[in-house]
Amino acid sequence: MTDTVLTTLVEGVLTLTLNRPEKLNSFNEEMHLALRTGLEMAHEDPTVRAVLLTGNGRAFSAGQDLGDRDPRKGGPAPDLGHTLDTFYNPTLRLIRNLQKPVICAVNGVAAGAGANLAFACDIVLAAKSAKFIQAFAKIGLVPDAGGTWSLARILGEPRAKALALTAEPLMAEKAADWGLIWKVVEDDALLAEATALATQLAAGPTLGLGLTKHLIQAAATNSLDEQLDLERDCQRRAGRSSDYAEGVTAFLEKRKPEFSGQ
Ligand code: LHQ
């Protein structure tokens, strides 16, 4: 059995590399469970202070492994809702609920749930040659893995609908122009740049960064009043952290802060 997700932990960065390159890192059950194990480790292990998600080979991920459920083999129609409940949705929630930054380095094509997995991450960098495809329409499905949520929120209805209904590829540079991702990097510089960013964030004030992520996500559904209250509560927690004391002390002493993540 091969490792369907390669895992390393260096300087606080847990790098999870989707690793079924011959299938363009499409998801089978084994890869789903391996990714989930990695994300659960990110939740539980305090030495993990940032996550970097990427793919091995020429693709980031082509979404669901379509060979896994070959309709030519007969049998009852599959319950894809169950597949989402069992595999995709827990992973999406683990990423969104992780109170640590998740960086995604999209190294090549990201199709179907593969694209939407990337959009769930906190900061997305993509190789110049990468493209995003809402491939679902080509096989009679609806966008999943949070795609309708992310696309509608980030792009608005006109662009979200056109991408989802036509399944036209969206090149990395346009995705960045449209605000779907953070930045485009030359192909051969992607991993180094994404690792440097993840390492920088892993050395940051993890509690404060996690609360910041939570606040920005909550803003999508909160009223201004609710958000002001939530900012107050989060700032109260951040203000009691040792990283706040260290940050201010380092500023006053004109030195670089050494954050512990606490
Ligand atoms: C693949 C795949 C793939 C298996 C390439 N599976 N082998 C959730 C709930 C439950 C079920 C259903 O789905 C979902 C969520 C979803 O993600 S649905 C959407 C599933 N994904 C797709 O529909 C994308 C299918 N792939 C493609 O359209 C193309 O492969 C893309 C545009 C990604 C890349 O095109 P090319 O660069 O031309 O590569 P290729 O098509 O030649 O693929 C290379 C190999 O990878 C090839 O195998 P082979 O043995 O012939 O070399 C493909 O069969 C295999 N592959 N995607 N999803």
Side-chain angles (χ1 to χ4, degrees):
M1 201 193 289
T2 56
D3 286 339
T4 51
V5 174
L6 305 174
T7 305
T8 61
L9 176 55
V10 178
E11 292 183 64
V13 178
L14 182 70
T15 300
L16 301 171
T17 306
L18 306 176
N19 186 38
R20 299 183 73 224
E22 71 292 349
K23 298 282 182 190
L24 302 190
N25 301 323
S26 57
F27 276 85
N28 62 3
E29 288 194 12
E30 193 189 333
M31 196 168 90
H32 271 296
L33 295 178
L35 179 58
R36 189 186 307 173
T37 300
L39 291 168
E40 283 169 351
M41 174 182 169
H43 274 258
E44 285 153 21
D45 184 343
T47 67
V48 174
R49 293 173 60 188
V51 174
L52 172 59
L53 177 63
T54 191
N56 187 16
R58 72 178 177 89
F60 173 68
S61 169
Q64 176 68 25
D65 185 330
L66 297 175
D68 254 11
R69 287 198 190 80
D70 184 344
R72 294 170 301 185
K73 290 183 183 152
D79 178 354
L80 300 188
H82 181 259
T83 306
L84 292 177
D85 267 345
T86 310
F87 295 108
Y88 287 92
N89 294 351
T91 294
L92 269 286
R93 291 187 175 111
L94 280 168
I95 291 172
R96 296 284 297 180
N97 295 337
L98 181 65
Q99 296 235 335
K100 301 171 187 179
V102 181
I103 315 307
C104 185
V106 181
N107 51 299
V109 64
N116 296 336
L117 174 68
F119 300 143
C121 296
D122 301 318
I123 303 183
V124 185
L125 284 71
K128 202 169 184 176
S129 67
K131 57 187 170 186
F132 299 90
I133 311 175
Q134 294 297 313
F136 309 90
K138 289 191 173 172
I139 54 170
L141 292 183
V142 302
D144 59 21
T148 54
W149 192 89
S150 314
L151 293 175
R153 271 191 165 65
I154 302 167
L155 299 180
E157 282 196 22
R159 285 171 170 167
K161 283 179 181 163
L163 285 178
L165 296 174
T166 66
E168 262 188 36
L170 180 71
M171 293 306 299
E173 282 182 332
K174 200 162 192 181
D177 287 347
W178 284 5
L180 253 181
I181 64 171
W182 170 237
K183 128 189 233 204
V184 178
V185 177
E186 291 298 333
D187 288 19
D188 56 5
L190 177 72
L191 195 58
E193 188 157 332
T195 303
L197 175 61
T199 306
Q200 174 199 319
L201 292 172
T206 309
L207 178 79
L209 297 183
L211 291 170
T212 302
K213 168 175 173 172
H214 172 60
L215 275 164
I216 291 175
Q217 291 179 180
T221 48
N222 273 350
S223 67
L224 176 60
D225 274 338
E226 289 166 332
Q227 193 69 9
L228 290 173
D229 286 350
L230 189 60
E231 286 179 356
R232 174 205 58 209
D233 295 344
C234 289
Q235 200 69 297
R236 184 170 284 142
R237 282 188 63 194
R240 288 174 179 153
S241 69
S242 51
D243 279 343
Y244 168 65
E246 166 61 8
V248 175
T249 305
F251 174 80
L252 296 174
E253 293 176 356
K254 299 190 188 305
R255 61 171 174 81
K256 228 175 138 231
E258 281 187 35
F259 293 120
S260 66
Q262 303 302 309

